[in-house]
Amino acid sequence: MAWVGLGIVVIVVLYVIATYNGLVKLRNWVKESWSQIDVQLKRRHDLIPNLVETVKGYAKHEQETLEKIIQARNQMLNGTPNERIEADNQLQSALKSIFALGEAYPDLKANQNFLRLQEELTNSENKVAYSRQLYNKTVAEYNIKRESFPSNIIAGMFSFKEEQLLTIPEAEKAVPKVSF
Amino acid sequence: MLYQQIEQNKRKTILLVLLFSILVIGAGCAVGYLGYENIWLGLGWAAAVLVFYVPITYMSANSQVLRVSGARPATREEHPQLYHIIEELCIPARIPMPKIYIVEDPSPNAFATGIKPEKGAVAFTTGLLERLNREELEAVAAHEIAHIRNYDIRLMTISIALISVIAILADMGTRMLFHQRRGNSNKKTHPAVYVIALAFIILSPIAARFVHFAVSRNREYLADATAIEMTRNATGLKNALIKISGSDLNVLRANKTTASMYISNPFSKERKKQGTSWFSTHPSMASRIERLERM
């Protein structure tokens, strides 16, 4: 009987260790995926002055659009995650209007520098989008483990805190169902 | 979930290796029996081939596929958009950046290789790069990256290696039969065992191929699904597949062994077939597109 008791204790201890480590791993993935977003936001931040300079020469009457972009850019690197994402959303719509300018100014559209910046910014934008997606997926996975039984007991014992999802209306990108 | 996919694939690889090993050993015994009336001799050969051939194929598979297909490394300066797309997709896939290769070929196609994500490589034909827009190219790249991150390539590589081992053994068996018929005596051979051994030699390569193709087809569906889970865009992949299947060109340097590695069958005749047979490397385009539309 003593052996059975000992066996149970060993199994429980092993379970606690494995769950604890699993939670730690997921929590670090959450941090890592946030820093991914951060890196991409910074990159986009660095690209914007170049874009504004390129556009300035061609579209002198669009001062307002350019100012909006610079303003949004300056907000992007400060604040809480959700505030920064909000600033990034504003920037994104402002950038769209800049690229729409390309249609109105054929010379600008043909400018190599403009085209290159457009591709660079598309790249940056996609990376931000993918990083967000990864972040949310990781947070969801962490929260599910944190809240479901019996791993929630261990999460409670070591006070693993809930992580916040990024809430952005992704109107154009509906989540497809993957079912087999 | 994707992580379960990966674990499942690793388990399947082990299962596949076991299954094929039994086939190889069986084929070895049959060859030994038919040739020398000595099961142990055949068993020894089979074991020797398994121990040497499979690890060598496994380790050299990466460079071999790239060499056979005539792929050359793509530079970032030449293909900035392609580089960007791959960089973007590595984020949701959470894998290191694979190497990017270009195959000079007017037929639109792509393949991935790399027995683990750290050694991943993706290759695109020039025909594909010319025909697809950014969205479609992203979808194809996501499909290839899905193969890498799901460890599909390890599974396929091992399966190809094992098929060729069985083919070698079966070939030896058939040669021996011819040799024996012209030779003098095989009186010691029991007719029933003889028939079983014969059947084994004929059927084992077919069975191996059958398993390989079934695994291959299944992987294509899953890579399509993973690609869409990453890009959240089924239309891009659908359009890309329609464009790829519409081409009448064969990938010139593709062969029977590498065919299962491509996103779509590299031979246009096979690609245009309506149904999916037991020996198709890929599911039919119609059924892939239908599944994409249901997502």
Side-chain angles (χ1 to χ4, degrees), chain B:
Chain B
M1 285 296 283
L2 287 171
Y3 294 98
Q4 285 156 358
Q5 254 307 306
I6 295 170
E7 290 308 312
Q8 211 181 16
N9 250 0
K10 286 181 177 169
R11 275 199 299 276
K12 267 188 195 156
T13 312
I14 295 170
L15 198 72
L16 196 73
V17 169
L18 284 177
L19 192 83
F20 272 110
S21 302
I22 293 167
L23 266 181
V24 167
I25 287 166
C29 290
V31 168
Y33 184 76
L34 289 181
Y36 300 94
E37 281 147 40
N38 185 345
I39 287 177
W40 296 108
L41 189 68
L43 196 68
W45 284 351
V49 176
L50 264 186
V51 168
F52 289 104
Y53 187 82
V54 175
I56 289 172
T57 316
Y58 182 74
M59 281 183 281
S60 63
N62 244 14
S63 51
Q64 262 182 23
V65 177
L66 289 168
R67 198 171 51 236
V68 167
S69 57
R72 64 170 170 80
T75 62
R76 185 183 276 272
E77 290 69 38
E78 244 183 308
H79 302 280
Q81 198 184 57
L82 187 60
Y83 261 89
H84 284 162
I85 288 173
I86 307 281
E87 265 173 21
E88 288 160 19
L89 290 166
C90 285
I91 295 170
R94 210 173 240 154
I95 59 165
M97 178 90 176
K99 291 200 180 81
I100 303 175
Y101 288 85
I102 300 289
V103 180
E104 293 286 347
D105 197 303
S107 168
N109 225 315
F111 67 86
T113 165
I115 45 178
K116 53 183 174 187
E118 293 76 29
K119 290 190 174 175
V122 283
F124 302 87
T125 63
T126 43
L128 187 90
L129 297 178
E130 277 160 25
R131 262 172 245 221
L132 302 191
N133 62 29
R134 198 184 202 279
E135 188 189 12
E136 291 152 2
L137 193 59
E138 184 183 39
V140 172
H143 173 102
E144 298 310 335
I145 285 187
H147 275 317
I148 295 178
R149 71 152 285 172
N150 289 353
Y151 284 83
D152 286 345
I153 295 152
R154 176 181 292 186
L155 191 68
M156 296 314 293
T157 305
I158 291 186
S159 135
I160 290 173
L162 291 166
I163 280 192
S164 33
V165 170
I166 291 168
I168 293 169
L169 286 172
D171 191 51
M172 279 166 66
T174 22
R175 272 164 211 272
M176 275 170 190
L177 282 180
F178 270 106
H179 183 72
Q180 276 205 340
R181 223 174 265 168
R182 278 160 212 186
N184 35 27
S185 72
N186 50 350
K187 280 169 208 157
K188 277 184 238 163
T189 329
H190 191 281
V193 184
Y194 186 85
V195 169
I196 291 171
L198 191 65
F200 209 90
I201 284 176
I202 295 167
L203 293 180
S204 62
I206 300 173
R209 232 151 240 276
F210 170 68
V211 172
H212 169 71
F213 291 146
V215 172
S216 167
R217 284 195 301 275
N218 193 15
R219 296 294 99 195
E220 292 304 320
Y221 283 132
L222 280 166
D224 284 351
T226 313
I228 286 160
E229 198 186 338
M230 287 196 289
T231 61
R232 314 267 159 127
N233 177 1
T235 326
L237 187 57
K238 200 180 108 188
N239 292 343
L241 287 180
I242 290 171
K243 278 191 186 174
I244 291 170
S245 62
S247 160
D248 288 323
L249 301 165
N250 288 342
V251 176
L252 297 172
R253 297 189 61 170
N255 61 38
K256 262 194 206 156
T257 321
T258 55
S260 59
M261 310 284 290
Y262 287 83
I263 184 169
S264 167
N265 199 303
F267 307 112
S268 73
K269 233 191 209 165
E270 294 287 320
R271 196 159 57 223
K272 294 221 185 294
K273 270 187 189 160
Q274 286 303 310
T276 304
S277 82
W278 282 15
F279 291 97
S280 313
T281 50
H282 295 71
S284 76
M285 267 300 164
S287 69
R288 278 172 84 175
I289 288 168
E290 194 211 306
R291 286 201 189 196
L292 288 177
E293 277 168 349
R294 268 191 280 143
M295 281 181 194

Side-chain angles (χ1 to χ4, degrees), chain A residues 105-124:
Chain A
Y105 300 87
D107 291 349
L108 177 62
K109 201 180 172 187
N111 181 304
Q112 277 304 316
N113 204 13
F114 182 69
L115 287 176
R116 198 182 56 79
L117 280 165
Q118 189 166 8
E119 170 58 32
E120 292 282 337
L121 278 160
T122 307
N123 177 231
S124 246

Side-chain angles (χ1 to χ4, degrees), chain A residues 67 87 111-112 121 133 152 162 172:
Chain A
E67 267 167 22
N111 181 304
Q112 277 304 316
L121 278 160
Q133 188 182 316
N152 63 346
E162 188 182 357
E172 298 139 49

